[in-house]
Amino acid sequence: VSGTLSVVALSSPTIRSVSVSNGNLVFSGTGGTADWPFYLLATTNLLSPQWVPLSTNQFDAGGEFTVTNAINPAWPQSFYQIQLQ
């Protein structure tokens, strides 16, 4: 509306730790763009992955994040990634 164009340099976030708490996986990481939205995606097969979005969140002012997700007992193995919006 104002005609202002903004450019944001996106960084590559990193999952730094994964822990189990009360039947949930808790992911924590850093390296995101401050206040920028992201998705946590999961798949059970890396040979032909079908990435499923588990949650949408945003990095805090320091580019850090924490996401809590229920463990799915129907998935014998799971792989995760962060996707920037």
Side-chain angles (χ1 to χ4, degrees), residues 44-67:
T44 58
N45 182 349
L46 290 179
L47 295 177
S48 58
Q50 295 181 5
W51 293 100
V52 176
L54 299 179
S55 67
T56 303
N57 212 325
Q58 74 179 48
F59 300 105
D60 67 14
E64 297 182 0
F65 65 93
T66 300
V67 177

Side-chain angles (χ1 to χ4, degrees), residues 2-85:
S2 69
T4 302
L5 179 64
S6 299
V7 177
V8 175
L10 299 178
S11 58
S12 296
T14 302
I15 295 174
R16 296 277 182 177
S17 69
V18 179
S19 60
V20 177
S21 176
N22 297 323
N24 295 304
L25 283 176
V26 181
F27 299 89
S28 297
T30 189
T33 301
D35 302 319
W36 198 263
F38 68 90
Y39 296 114
L40 176 66
L41 306 176
T43 188
T44 58
N45 182 349
L46 290 179
L47 295 177
S48 58
Q50 295 181 5
W51 293 100
V52 176
L54 299 179
S55 67
T56 303
N57 212 325
Q58 74 179 48
F59 300 105
D60 67 14
E64 297 182 0
F65 65 93
T66 300
V67 177
T68 301
N69 191 71
I71 294 173
N72 186 341
W75 291 6
Q77 62 184 8
S78 302
F79 304 91
Y80 300 89
Q81 72 175 344
I82 299 292
Q83 179 183 25
L84 302 177
Q85 288 189 4

